[in-house]
Amino acid sequence: MKRDQLGNQQCSVARSSAVLGDPWTLTLLSDCFLGVRRFEEFQERLKVSRTTLTSRLKLLEEHGILVQSQYEQKPPRFEYRLTQKGKELFPVISTLLTWGDKYYSDQAGPPILRRHKKCGHDFQTYIACSECGEPLELKDVEARKRPHNDSYPAVERGPM
Amino acid sequence: MKRDQLGNQQCSVARSSAVLGDPWTLTLLSDCFLGVRRFEEFQERLKVSRTTLTSRLKLLEEHGILVQSQYEQKPPRFEYRLTQKGKELFPVISTLLTWGDKYYSDQAGPPILRRHKKCGHDFQTYIACSECGEPLELKDVEARKRPHNDSYPAVERGPM
DNA sequence: CTAAGTAAGTCCAAATTACGGACTTGCAAT
DNA sequence: ATTGCAAGTCCGTAATTTGGACTTACTTAG
């Protein structure tokens, strides 16, 4: 199977990965959350080739994760901003950052620190259950395929 | 800059992305959390080429995310298991799944449901602050570069 | 004893994607 | 008139990915 058909799989991770599963895309999104908006700025920070950057921005736009808006008429200049859908990737980037901080920091610690304005402390993140609010642990999770229904195809890639 | 140099950047997302930023890798890890362990099984479920699968498994092993262990002597057979470091990717895959369930489900809903054994409900995830336990919202986060110290290089890719 | 099967890969040629650098467009400022 | 800037496009070379065939080392069925 080819990379671009991955999005048609019956699996939310596969579908998400089809858009986000690229090192530049993830780093680009991280930069978006740090306030980067312009082509030149992305290019300089990521040091990615301009062609690749263009294609990734286009893909994120097609998926409604970024919108391009014109911030200057003459000469025409554009910026990229996160949509609501894009902003909802914050948990993904945050948990990735937390993991990276833990396993790939150098001796000086994480390069970027984040402060929670509400409590005033520098934080890392953990995940919680939407239903009971308790911290979510791997051992407490039980996965299953959705119940089969004649109108929809059965799920192929279920848990073992 | 080339893909394999991304891990040297001073940015935890870039460093993490250098390992995980690939559609197959993310989907493969998702399968690990569903209990998949064998080469043939990964190959059949992901429908990825065998060469690519081999290279991804090797990369994850080099990074200490998976370990290969022999489960049969004659003939020699192996399985891949998540290490502690690998298991700590659970929040990343979970938040990615939650986002994918929201934006890429078909009419029959998410293909795979997850139940929280502690409370008995099917759940989605949200992230919380490690310091105060409150749900973490984008607008309450303030990013900054780590304080400069003569012994370590200044951070390049800081917030805007 | 032979043939078929299985798990975990390796090998290969063709197709796709990425790379860096030069170039383009449209305008402003010196 | 030239230089500078932002946001790209173009292009030839280099690297990666793909799908399928093949390998190795055993087991099981006939």
Side-chain angles (χ1 to χ4, degrees):
Chain A
M1 189 199 272
K2 291 189 187 165
R3 207 207 244 63
D4 55 343
Q5 294 170 287
L6 191 62
N8 305 325
Q9 291 287 105
Q10 277 178 318
C11 168
S12 294
V13 174
R15 289 170 182 166
S16 307
S17 299
V19 198
L20 307 175
D22 172 280
W24 304 119
T25 305
L26 288 169
T27 314
L28 192 162
L29 281 168
S30 164
D31 271 6
C32 288
F33 284 110
L34 292 174
V36 181
R37 302 209 173 121
R38 299 186 192 169
F39 188 91
E40 293 295 323
E41 215 146 35
F42 286 121
Q43 204 276 319
E44 199 177 324
R45 289 170 65 97
L46 303 180
K47 289 161 178 46
V48 65
S49 77
R50 306 176 77 82
T51 15
T52 307
L53 179 56
T54 302
S55 92
R56 294 305 182 277
L57 287 168
K58 199 163 286 171
L59 186 68
L60 289 170
E61 228 194 320
E62 280 166 13
H63 279 265
I65 292 165
L66 296 179
V67 265
Q68 197 184 33
S69 75
Q70 197 160 351
Y71 69 87
E72 197 182 272
Q73 302 299 320
K74 299 165 181 235
R77 291 292 139 81
F78 304 93
E79 64 181 12
Y80 293 89
R81 284 169 168 274
L82 289 161
T83 60
Q84 177 59 26
K85 180 176 172 184
K87 286 178 184 165
E88 287 178 32
L89 284 168
F90 180 61
V92 178
I93 302 295
S94 279
T95 51
L96 190 63
L97 186 53
T98 287
W99 185 82
D101 278 351
K102 175 159 182 184
Y103 287 104
Y104 295 102
S105 285
D106 54 34
Q107 287 176 294
I112 290 177
L113 303 171
R114 295 186 300 162
R115 201 176 70 88
H116 188 208
K117 288 186 207 166
K118 278 195 177 166
C119 74
H121 295 102
D122 287 350
F123 66 92
Q124 291 295 352
T125 56
Y126 67 89
I127 54 171
C129 168
S130 60
E131 303 307 304
C132 70
E134 288 294 303
L136 201 56
E137 290 175 72
L138 177 52
K139 66 175 173 46
D140 295 323
V141 173
E142 211 166 69
R144 66 182 194 284
K145 296 180 188 182
R146 74 179 171 213
H148 184 260
N149 172 321
D150 288 342
S151 332
Y152 302 107
V155 175
E156 304 272 317
R157 300 188 53 251
M160 307 296 304
Chain B
M1 189 198 274
K2 292 191 184 162
R3 208 208 242 64
D4 55 343
Q5 294 169 288
L6 190 63
N8 305 325
Q9 292 286 106
Q10 276 178 319
C11 167
S12 294
V13 174
R15 289 170 182 168
S16 306
S17 299
V19 198
L20 308 175
D22 172 281
W24 304 120
T25 304
L26 288 170
T27 315
L28 193 162
L29 281 168
S30 164
D31 271 6
C32 288
F33 284 110
L34 292 173
V36 181
R37 303 209 172 120
R38 301 188 191 168
F39 188 92
E40 292 295 323
E41 214 146 35
F42 287 121
Q43 204 277 320
E44 200 177 323
R45 289 170 65 97
L46 303 181
K47 288 161 179 46
V48 64
S49 76
R50 305 176 78 81
T51 13
T52 306
L53 179 56
T54 302
S55 92
R56 293 305 182 277
L57 287 168
K58 199 163 286 172
L59 186 68
L60 289 171
E61 228 195 320
E62 279 165 14
H63 278 265
I65 292 166
L66 295 179
V67 264
Q68 197 184 35
S69 76
Q70 196 160 351
Y71 68 88
E72 197 183 271
Q73 301 299 320
K74 298 166 183 236
R77 291 293 139 82
F78 304 93
E79 63 180 13
Y80 294 90
R81 282 168 170 275
L82 289 161
T83 61
Q84 177 59 26
K85 181 176 173 185
K87 285 177 184 166
E88 286 177 32
L89 283 169
F90 180 60
V92 178
I93 302 295
S94 278
T95 51
L96 190 63
L97 185 54
T98 287
W99 185 82
D101 278 351
K102 176 160 180 184
Y103 287 104
Y104 297 101
S105 285
D106 53 35
Q107 287 176 295
I112 290 176
L113 303 171
R114 294 186 300 163
R115 201 176 70 89
H116 188 207
K117 288 186 206 167
K118 278 195 177 167
C119 74
H121 295 102
D122 287 348
F123 66 91
Q124 291 296 352
T125 56
Y126 66 90
I127 55 171
C129 168
S130 61
E131 304 307 304
C132 70
E134 288 294 302
L136 201 57
E137 290 175 72
L138 178 52
K139 65 174 172 50
D140 296 322
V141 173
E142 210 166 69
R144 66 181 195 284
K145 296 180 188 184
R146 74 180 170 211
H148 184 260
N149 171 321
D150 287 341
S151 332
Y152 301 106
V155 175
E156 305 272 318
R157 300 189 52 251
M160 306 299 303

